[in-house]
Amino acid sequence: MTRCRVCDQAVQEFFDFERQPLSSAFPLPGEADGEFFFRLAVGICSSCTLVQLIEDVPQEHAHHQGYPYHSAGSSVMHKHFTQTAYDLLETELTGPDPFVVEIGANDGVLLRTCGDAGVRHLAVEPSGAGGVRVHRAFFDAASAADIRAENGPADVVYAANTICGVADLAAVFAGLDVLLGPDGVLVFEDPYLGEIVERTAFDQIYDEHVFFFTARSVRSMAERFGFELVGVERLPVHGGQIRYTIAHAGRRVPSPAVAELVREETGRGLADLATLEDFAAKVRGIRTDLVALLGDLRAAGNTIAGYGATAKSSTVANYCGLGPDLVPFVCDTTPGKQGRVTPGSHIPVRPAAAFADPYPDYALLFAWNHAEEIMAKERAFRAAGGRWILYVPTVHIV
Ligand code: TYD
Ligand code: ZN
């Protein structure tokens, strides 16, 4: 039996993607033999309702030297992190000499913006990436103590797309206990189970997303570790996220939005196995429809290209059995992915320019979380008669 990583109670499995590779391990074309696979399955804790992966990827196989960061190559995300910095500067970083810490660095946009405003800042990131002032470590009680000794307490610890990938949440909260000042807060944003279920966005499930939070499960997690969920905010990025604000227990009055969102989640049955089994049935339907559509299009002589070699696409390609026969290549702006093949599914990754050289008849939009931005940028594709294939919330062509 699998036990909840937070409260140690039984986790009930509701979907099994079976054998999956590491979503960020893009092999070179000739070196795809020794790939690591694990069983990707998800379940819900019968007690605290936290949805989580059934199996951990053993540390020795973890692909990243640090916190996973996907360079989204997106101007929308750049704006998002800049705006988030401005918001924090106005709300939380208002004291005489504030200090903000980011777990993982993303591309350093948030901390750089805070730094430009004269605010002391530090990234905690083992790989040293991010291009900002960085403490090279994972975030836990030990690194938090080092940081506090050198910088004093933090007003804000921020994390985007990071907390959901840290299997040992107790270590994170132990670090917060040490580093946050009495009125300091953890502000973190991650994919929202409510959106995943709403959109049947099953591709948010991959090795680096261990947890799929709700306000209810986050509230319960915070309480378990001596903290309190005091704020929730919906974010439009990455297909729908929630930003959670967590304070030391009893230090702040929780916003009414917290209880409202928990009520809404209860009404939607987000903690009910039946809802998740319904989600599972829809996922199976998407696989059937997508494989049939791509097969039909190819049989009719159409050309197809993938757009965006996202981590999410690893789950789609491997679960649906898509390979170069159905999707001959995928274009992506990330130099480190180009010239390689996608994990497990071995679809060659080509530079962004390959998309128009010549345009395919159909583009399978793996980076659907950036749909608006990409479709605006690729208007000429549509004008030339090209069509987008999307698979969330259902398989459809636009
Ligand atoms: P991301 O949004 O981080 O998703 P995931 O976490 O699933 O990897 O990644 C987006 C990917 O899409 C990234 O590899 C860059 C690529 N991309 C493009 O190729 N063109 C674009 O215009 C955008 C916005 C992204
Ligand atoms: Zn639990």
Side-chain angles (χ1 to χ4, degrees), residues 269 271-279:
D272 302 342
L273 201 55
T275 306
L276 300 169
E277 279 167 351
D278 179 57
F279 163 82

Side-chain angles (χ1 to χ4, degrees), residues 110-150:
L110 178 121
L111 290 185
R112 248 193 317 276
T113 309
C114 292
D116 290 347
V119 166
R120 291 182 300 128
H121 60 280
L122 183 68
V124 189
E125 165 58 66
S127 77
V132 284
R133 189 174 166 244
V134 55
H135 182 89
R136 284 186 173 234
F138 282 107
F139 185 79
D140 56 20
S143 59
D146 292 344
I147 294 167
R148 182 161 181 149
E150 202 176 309

Side-chain angles (χ1 to χ4, degrees), residues 18-265:
E18 298 174 3
R19 226 173 72 100
Q20 292 277 335
L22 304 179
S23 60
S24 296
F26 287 75
L28 288 165
E31 292 177 356
D33 288 346
E35 283 180 291
F36 171 79
F37 289 87
F38 77 114
R39 188 172 83 92
L40 179 71
V42 270
I44 181 165
C45 173
S46 54
S47 175
C48 77
T49 77
L50 181 54
V51 170
Q52 54 199 285
L53 295 190
I54 299 294
E55 289 189 8
D56 272 333
V57 171
Q59 198 54 48
E60 65 268 28
H61 292 293
H63 186 61
H64 292 273
Q65 303 304 308
Y67 292 108
Y69 165 59
H70 306 136
S71 174
S74 155
S75 58
V76 172
M77 288 311 297
H78 194 283
K79 259 190 236 145
H80 170 76
F81 288 125
T82 307
Q83 187 56 51
T84 302
Y86 291 146
D87 292 348
L88 290 175
L89 287 166
E90 255 179 45
T91 53
E92 300 292 343
L93 300 169
T94 53
D97 184 19
F99 178 42
V100 54
V101 171
E102 183 169 355
I103 307 178
N106 286 292
D107 40 18
V109 172
L110 178 121
L111 290 185
R112 248 193 317 276
T113 309
C114 292
D116 290 347
V119 166
R120 291 182 300 128
H121 60 280
L122 183 68
V124 189
E125 165 58 66
S127 77
V132 284
R133 189 174 166 244
V134 55
H135 182 89
R136 284 186 173 234
F138 282 107
F139 185 79
D140 56 20
S143 59
D146 292 344
I147 294 167
R148 182 161 181 149
E150 202 176 309
N151 304 275
D155 299 280
V156 174
V157 172
Y158 173 78
N161 301 300
T162 302
I163 300 295
C164 70
V166 181
D168 188 359
L169 290 171
V172 170
F173 279 91
L176 292 172
D177 248 335
V178 172
L179 183 58
L180 281 182
D183 290 313
V185 285
L186 167 69
V187 177
F188 75 101
E189 54 201 64
D190 278 314
Y192 179 45
L193 182 71
E195 290 285 356
I196 293 171
V197 167
E198 176 87 22
R199 297 179 196 230
T200 320
F202 66 98
D203 54 349
Q204 292 286 7
I205 302 167
Y206 55 87
D207 56 338
E208 292 165 6
H209 286 173
V210 178
F211 299 108
F212 305 90
F213 296 118
T214 58
R216 177 169 170 187
S217 64
V218 168
R219 188 171 70 174
S220 152
M221 165 175 86
E223 278 168 16
R224 169 160 289 269
F225 295 116
F227 288 79
E228 193 170 7
L229 177 60
V230 296
V232 288
E233 183 190 346
R234 284 176 189 276
L235 304 174
V237 298
H238 284 303
Q241 301 201 325
I242 301 275
R243 174 179 294 158
Y244 305 93
T245 302
I246 286 178
H248 287 289
R251 300 296 301 194
R252 291 195 189 193
V253 178
S255 146
V258 173
E260 269 163 39
L261 187 56
V262 171
R263 248 194 318 275
E264 183 190 315
E265 290 169 353

Side-chain angles (χ1 to χ4, degrees), residues 70 72-73 206 238 310-312 332-334 337 369-370 374 377:
H70 306 136
Y206 55 87
H238 284 303
T310 54
K312 290 184 286 296
D332 194 285
T333 49
T334 316
K337 295 177 185 175
N369 50 315
H370 306 291
I374 289 172
K377 185 165 73 176

